[in-house]
Amino acid sequence: MKPNTRVPGPRVPGAGALDPRVLAAATPAGRDRYIDLLRVASLGTVVLGHWLMAAVTVDADGRAEAGNLLAVVPSLQILTWLLQIMPVFFFVGGFSHALSYRSLHRRLDGRGVYAAFLRVRLRRLLRPVMLFVAVWGATALALQLVAPESQLANIAARLVAQPLWFIGIYLAMVALTPPLLKLHERYGWAAFGALTAAAATVDLLRFALGVPYVPFLNFAFVWLAVHQLGFLRVDGRLRTPRLPAALATTGLAAATALVALGPYPLSMVGMPGEKISNMAPPTFALLCHGVWLVGAVELLRAPAARLLARPRVWRGVVAANGIAMTAFLWHLTAMLGVYALALGLGAPFPAPGTGTWWAQVPVRLAVAAALTAVLVAVFRAAERPPGPALPTADGTAAAPAAGSARWGGSGAALGVTLTLFGVLGLSAVGFAGLLEGHSAVLVAVPVTAPVAVAMTAAGWLLVEAAGRRALPAAPSTHGAGGPVQREGGGLPVAPRP
């Protein structure tokens, strides 16, 4: 195909089509609605788990301390085998990334597809993230200037950025989708098996030989193995009879054996003060946990599909997908707002895990949900990109020149690398101690919040520039509210990661 030859692209509706009722009504018959439900349900489960695990206490001097309910009541750690649902989100990500990349590859005839793919995915993901970072950066600085002795303010500034670790890992999955998708298309289950074997080898080197730094490799091997299962689902390789049950039983049995007989802790989430965590860095036990969860959700596929065929249920899923990332980013802010209100009103703070503490849980959850709804109403517009990343004004996409495509791919790869390390760094350091230059160690490298934010912003700008160079876009004629995004040529849906 000659440079700048136009290839057909899907026409993009105007901003009015962002109404969930319109989006739901436009759903193609072949849309896999269960994937959308899993995306919302996994993020919602994480939010609920964080709200339940928060255990804030106040001492006799009125100083607040944040703890973890699972550390206070260790017998509840078994619940993390249900509440640690992030493997399902990464599994869904693999499914969506494969569809999106293949769709772009067809539309662009293979030229400039990597830069275009990264540009599309980062636009959907980083707009709400960067707004969150800007608002909290300014808020933390103001709190440090106005109320430097406020313990709750310091706790909030330290904690609210922690969920960004998931964004960083997700960015790595986006960046590695093209090469891993090629491996999948050539080797199928063997590609998943290789990642699984690599994760097991890392743990062997970690626990048997005590090799330093090698455990950090499992941030890649564990989560990418789960992501690879999403590729297998796209190609129908999880539909084999009895396979979902085999994944669930094998994964659960392996995870149980590893925890019972090996060095692995019971909790599938990080615990304060623990010497070994299944999360940071991830362990082979966590991978087995992810495999059993994927098998379990696939077993529920048929009944869920019948439920999602109901118009009212599907409209709810579509609406929730349009705000899911905003709600995830701001849910800890809402939770800390609950405790700030309780402190201001002089409400009692019973010891975590007691009967009185449990009696307060419904009230705390209701108020946290209400505050999250307010924050979503204020910030949800960031989940709607300002314009199309790919289509031109006439609904087509221009194929780039070969030289531009090569430069765009390299520039986009550098940009996404900067971005993911910036986001991970910000997750580690938080917003506390901005004036003192507080730092944290990210894989043996000290990082401060301003440096992490600068890396994230610079990387994103580089991806945008590389994407535009690889695929110039004509001026858009769509409304100022931005178009509805499509994934894999399917249902127009509100932007999401």
Side-chain angles (χ1 to χ4, degrees):
M1 181 175 291
K2 296 179 180 180
N4 299 322
T5 300
R6 297 194 183 280
V7 296
R11 295 196 174 272
V12 184
L18 289 172
D19 187 323
R21 292 170 295 183
V22 177
L23 297 174
T27 305
R31 176 76 177 187
D32 192 336
R33 302 182 179 194
Y34 189 39
I35 284 293
D36 299 279
L37 174 63
L38 290 178
R39 180 183 291 107
V40 171
S42 57
L43 286 179
T45 302
V46 171
V47 168
L48 179 61
H50 285 169
W51 285 348
L52 286 173
M53 287 191 299
V56 175
T57 56
V58 179
D59 61 21
D61 297 325
R63 292 175 59 86
E65 291 290 342
N68 190 316
L69 176 66
L70 300 180
V72 178
V73 189
S75 60
L76 295 178
Q77 292 179 15
I78 189 64
L79 295 179
T80 62
W81 290 50
L82 294 175
L83 295 177
Q84 174 48 289
I85 201 78
M86 290 314 296
V88 174
F89 189 89
F90 293 142
F91 165 65
V92 169
F95 180 93
S96 298
H97 295 158
L99 285 181
S100 179
Y101 186 80
R102 285 173 173 174
S103 176
L104 286 171
H105 199 280
R106 289 191 299 269
R107 290 166 57 193
L108 304 180
D109 198 31
R111 290 184 179 178
V113 63
Y114 185 63
F117 172 72
L118 290 182
R119 189 182 182 208
V120 169
R121 307 310 287 185
L122 265 64
R123 271 192 169 196
R124 298 177 184 180
L125 187 61
L126 290 183
R127 277 175 55 83
V129 169
M130 293 307 290
L131 177 60
F132 170 82
V133 169
V135 171
W136 253 109
T139 301
L141 186 60
L143 288 173
Q144 192 171 358
L145 291 170
V146 174
E149 302 301 322
S150 172
Q151 190 70 9
L152 187 60
N154 290 331
I155 291 172
R158 188 176 73 250
L159 292 182
V160 292
Q162 287 185 0
L164 293 178
W165 73 267
F166 137 77
I167 305 293
I169 298 298
Y170 198 83
L171 285 169
M173 292 178 177
V174 172
L176 293 172
T177 286
L180 290 178
L181 187 57
K182 288 182 180 179
L183 287 176
H184 158 74
E185 290 168 348
R186 182 169 183 178
Y187 298 109
W189 277 100
F192 166 76
L195 288 168
T196 301
T201 301
V202 165
D203 272 16
L204 181 65
L205 294 173
R206 175 185 180 182
F207 295 118
L209 301 178
V211 179
Y213 299 112
V214 73
F216 291 105
L217 292 175
N218 265 352
F219 277 110
F221 295 142
V222 168
W223 293 126
L224 289 174
V226 176
H227 190 252
Q228 206 79 6
L229 288 172
F231 296 166
L232 291 163
R233 189 185 193 279
V234 166
D235 291 340
R237 300 195 185 190
L238 299 188
R239 285 187 173 273
T240 305
R242 299 190 180 90
L243 181 57
L247 288 175
T249 54
T250 302
L252 184 58
T256 302
L258 288 169
V259 169
L261 305 176
Y264 303 95
L266 174 64
S267 176
M268 290 297 167
V269 302
M271 299 297 299
E274 63 185 355
K275 293 182 179 180
I276 297 175
S277 168
N278 280 320
M279 279 290 295
T283 63
F284 186 64
L286 182 64
L287 174 54
C288 294
H289 170 72
V291 169
W292 102 257
L293 285 178
V294 168
V297 297
E298 283 296 291
L299 286 172
L300 298 174
R301 185 174 183 171
R306 291 191 293 270
L307 179 66
L308 291 167
R310 300 177 183 179
R312 182 174 297 181
V313 174
W314 177 233
R315 283 196 299 269
V317 171
V318 171
N321 263 293
I323 61 171
M325 183 52 58
T326 301
F328 174 80
L329 289 169
W330 291 97
H331 77 279
L332 285 185
T333 303
M335 180 196 73
L336 291 163
V338 171
Y339 287 106
L341 285 173
L343 279 172
L345 295 173
F349 279 74
T354 62
T356 306
W357 187 90
W358 283 109
Q360 289 183 351
V361 166
V363 177
R364 286 199 300 271
L365 293 182
V367 177
L371 291 178
T372 301
V374 172
L375 291 167
V376 166
V378 173
F379 297 115
R380 64 177 296 180
E383 290 206 53
R384 301 176 182 178
L390 293 176
T392 60
D394 62 355
T396 62
S404 294
R406 286 193 294 270
W407 183 94
S410 300
L414 175 60
V416 75
T417 301
L418 285 172
T419 301
L420 72 91
F421 278 109
V423 171
L424 289 173
L426 190 56
S427 170
V429 72
F431 296 103
L434 292 177
L435 296 178
E436 292 84 8
H438 173 65
S439 65
V441 176
L442 178 65
V443 194
V445 178
V447 62
T448 64
V451 170
V453 172
M455 288 176 62
T456 303
W460 187 19
L461 290 174
L462 187 55
V463 170
E464 280 288 315
R468 284 195 299 269
R469 185 180 179 101
L471 183 64
S476 172
T477 59
H478 304 301
V484 176
Q485 301 292 319
R486 293 177 183 261
E487 287 191 0
L491 166 70
V493 293
R496 61 175 181 250

